Amino acid sequence: MDILDLIVIGGGPAGYLAAQRAAESGMKVLLFEKKKLGGVCLNEGCVPTKTLLNSAKIFDHAKNGQAYGVMAHDVTMDTKTVLQRKNKVIQMLVSGVGMTMKKNKIKIVYERAEVIEKTKEGFLVEAGAERYTSKYILAAPGSETLIPPIPGVAEALESGLAITSRELLELEDLPGHLAVIGAGVIGLEMAAYCCTAGVRVTVVEMLDKVAGNMDARLSKILQTELKKKGVSFLMGHKVTEVNSHGLVCEKDGETKFAEADKILLSIGRKPVIEGCGLEHIGVAAEHGRVVTDQHLCTSVEGIYAAGDINGKMMLAHTAYRESEVAVHHMLGIEDEINYQTIPSVIYTFPEFAGIGETEESAREKGLAVKTAELPMAYSGRYVAENADGNGLCRLIMDQETGCLVGAHLLGPYVSEMIWGIAALIDQKVSVEELKKSVFPHPSVSEIIRETIFKL
């Protein structure tokens, strides 16, 4: 039996890119995937969600085109056609990943793989009736929806009243009223889609702000914008019970009831760490997450863990970078991951993008920072293309170094701008140097330059 250089467990973003990068570097690679190539991202998460949101955005523009001199009447959104296009996009992209694996001579085995033991030849992995040996293992089995321990949830899931984002992305007939538990990325994006499609949406969140740890000021503005579109919010409310009619919620001893035809569970995701055999060889885990360092090494030499399994930053683009760093470490190439320079995006409309420190996190760390902000309306192109809206750009500078340590933007396509700020923060370019940068005019991105001059 040939000894492989690398066995990858999981064919999601971390897994398939690690396999690709390793094969391109001359390593002999075997990839295991128990369901579909592309993982949650391509099949149930990032890509299908954005496809649906794009349809909703086009529908919203068509309905409200009069401000731009475009008159449309009796505009409707056919969810069946939307889903057909979504499925076509998924098929095309998953096929593309498969072609990339084939091009790089990466064998794919569609079986659940489990590490059995470490031998003098390497790590022994079992899948189906076969066994394989490899010098290195990269575990990237991904994550699954976190099901809250709320009375009535199990029964609601069984009856179909409660669903996860996976099921919502397959609904041809949307409910009349959707209750969303959780105002994080998934909850807000699905609320935006459903509300635009004509669904009454109520979002219930335990915290007093939406969007988790993202910038508090912009989170509040995003919530206001979603309210304008018709989304209702019950902030600071705890769901105490799920029954056949909806949610029982409580705040400060007072009870409210949120009626719903469907309930979306979106309080987050949890790493899948069971089933791939890491416990057999003593890989350390804490709080349901595999422990990794800046090179994605686990507590067992030769075993790496990338993507959601380590719970560091459960985003597809984080998984991509982690997989590259892990492969580089296997090859002896100096590299490490910097989680501070990885952006987060919520693809609502308007979009919300952030990176690095917020004012709150900087204060907690004792950093002396200066914050500058400008409305998106300072950009000529933004005004030309947005008859309404309340976008904002906030930049945070470390006064000791004179470099940016955080950036937070709310507006159209800010997801396409945030990477540039990420690179600037990563390279520690000073604000004074940034002032020399030339932005195209007119462009929405000019708001970054204008805000820099406020620091």
Side-chain angles (χ1 to χ4, degrees):
M1 181 176 61
D2 290 341
I3 296 176
L4 299 153
D5 293 310
L6 172 63
I7 283 179
V8 179
I9 301 176
Y16 70 70
L17 190 66
Q20 179 185 340
R21 294 288 187 259
E24 288 171 343
S25 300
M27 297 176 76
K28 188 174 182 180
V29 183
L30 181 61
L31 173 65
F32 290 98
E33 171 52 49
K34 61 183 180 181
K35 291 182 180 178
K36 297 178 182 178
L37 275 180
V40 170
C41 176
L42 281 191
N43 295 284
E44 303 169 8
C46 314
V47 171
T49 302
K50 304 321 167 271
T51 307
L52 266 60
L53 283 166
N54 186 60
S55 291
K57 191 185 300 182
I58 293 170
F59 178 48
D60 188 61
H61 286 169
K63 286 195 305 179
N64 299 289
Q66 63 272 13
Y68 307 92
V70 179
M71 306 302 174
H73 304 285
D74 301 321
V75 180
T76 60
M77 189 168 84
D78 181 7
T79 53
K80 185 176 181 179
T81 304
V82 171
L83 293 188
Q84 287 174 346
R85 181 175 182 273
K86 181 261 296 183
N87 292 334
K88 184 178 179 181
V89 169
I90 292 171
Q91 184 180 11
M92 182 177 70
L93 294 175
V94 171
S95 175
V97 173
M99 290 174 64
T100 300
M101 298 299 101
K102 184 177 181 180
K103 176 183 175 183
N104 286 283
K105 298 179 172 59
I106 298 164
K107 182 180 178 182
I108 304 170
V109 177
Y110 289 95
E111 293 273 3
R112 185 180 71 84
E114 185 175 4
V115 183
I116 302 301
E117 61 178 337
K118 183 175 183 179
T119 68
K120 61 181 181 180
E121 288 83 16
F123 296 98
L124 186 64
V125 174
E126 187 174 79
E130 301 293 328
R131 289 193 167 193
Y132 309 83
T133 301
S134 178
K135 182 178 178 182
Y136 297 111
I137 300 288
L138 185 136
S143 63
E144 60 189 6
T145 300
L146 186 61
I147 305 300
I150 300 170
V153 164
E155 292 82 359
L157 281 168
E158 188 176 346
S159 70
L161 172 63
I163 58 175
T164 69
S165 57
R166 178 192 295 119
E167 292 80 42
L168 182 56
L169 291 170
E170 297 297 329
L171 288 182
E172 287 188 6
D173 297 317
L174 294 175
H177 194 169
L178 176 71
V180 180
I181 304 178
V185 176
I186 297 171
L188 293 177
E189 289 184 353
M190 290 296 89
Y193 168 68
C194 290
C195 178
T196 304
V199 178
R200 285 190 300 139
V201 179
T202 301
V203 177
V204 184
E205 171 57 53
M206 285 185 64
L207 302 177
D208 59 2
K209 67 180 287 292
V210 303
N213 294 324
M214 295 184 76
D215 183 88
R217 178 158 158 70
L218 270 65
S219 295
K220 188 173 182 179
I221 296 173
L222 175 60
Q223 183 181 345
T224 299
E225 292 299 300
L226 290 174
K227 277 184 178 180
K228 288 180 185 177
K229 296 179 184 296
V231 179
S232 299
F233 289 89
L234 290 177
M235 303 303 297
H237 282 73
K238 179 182 179 181
V239 178
T240 57
E241 182 188 346
V242 174
N243 61 39
S244 59
H245 300 290
L247 308 177
V248 179
C249 311
E250 186 180 288
K251 180 181 181 180
D252 300 330
E254 294 186 9
T255 299
K256 286 187 179 180
F257 185 74
E259 185 180 352
D261 302 311
K262 287 287 184 184
I263 299 166
L264 175 64
L265 306 177
S266 58
I267 65 168
R269 300 183 65 83
K270 65 176 182 178
V272 174
I273 65 171
E274 297 178 354
C276 52
L278 300 184
E279 69 278 5
H280 295 161
I281 51 175
V283 172
E286 292 179 358
H287 310 296
R289 305 169 179 180
V290 170
V291 178
T292 56
D293 64 12
Q294 70 272 28
H295 305 295
L296 286 307
C297 299
T298 68
S299 59
V300 175
E301 186 177 355
I303 301 282
Y304 298 76
D308 290 356
I309 189 173
N310 62 42
K312 299 270 189 177
M313 201 174 186
M314 298 167 78
L315 301 167
H317 49 279
T318 304
Y320 284 142
R321 179 66 183 133
E322 287 179 334
S323 67
E324 292 173 335
V325 171
V327 171
H328 284 164
H329 193 263
M330 297 172 200
L331 295 169
I333 300 171
E334 187 64 34
D335 196 7
E336 63 181 52
I337 190 164
N338 180 3
Y339 291 102
Q340 285 296 109
T341 56
I342 296 177
S344 297
V345 179
I346 301 178
Y347 293 85
T348 45
F349 30 100
E351 293 181 352
F352 185 6
I355 185 170
E357 305 293 346
T358 62
E359 271 194 291
E360 296 79 15
S361 67
R363 204 178 301 122
E364 289 172 2
K365 294 177 181 179
L367 297 177
V369 295
K370 181 179 181 181
T371 300
E373 65 177 54
L374 280 177
M376 282 287 180
Y378 272 69
S379 158
R381 184 174 179 185
Y382 177 85
V383 174
E385 297 184 358
N386 292 270
D388 193 11
N390 196 16
L392 195 68
C393 174
R394 303 191 84 204
L395 300 181
I396 299 172
M397 180 186 74
D398 185 331
Q399 296 193 78
E400 184 176 334
T401 64
C403 298
L404 292 179
V405 291
H408 310 278
L409 297 91
L410 185 71
Y413 299 108
V414 294
S415 59
E416 302 292 346
M417 293 187 255
I418 196 69
W419 75 269
I421 306 177
L424 297 171
I425 293 176
D426 192 46
Q427 296 299 314
K428 296 181 172 58
V429 181
S430 72
V431 166
E432 290 307 309
E433 283 297 311
L434 293 182
K435 289 178 180 178
K436 301 174 186 177
S437 300
V438 179
F439 287 68
H441 177 80
S443 66
V444 180
S445 64
E446 283 181 291
I447 194 64
I448 298 170
R449 187 175 194 272
E450 294 299 321
T451 309
I452 285 171
F453 275 87
K454 296 293 181 180
L455 288 168

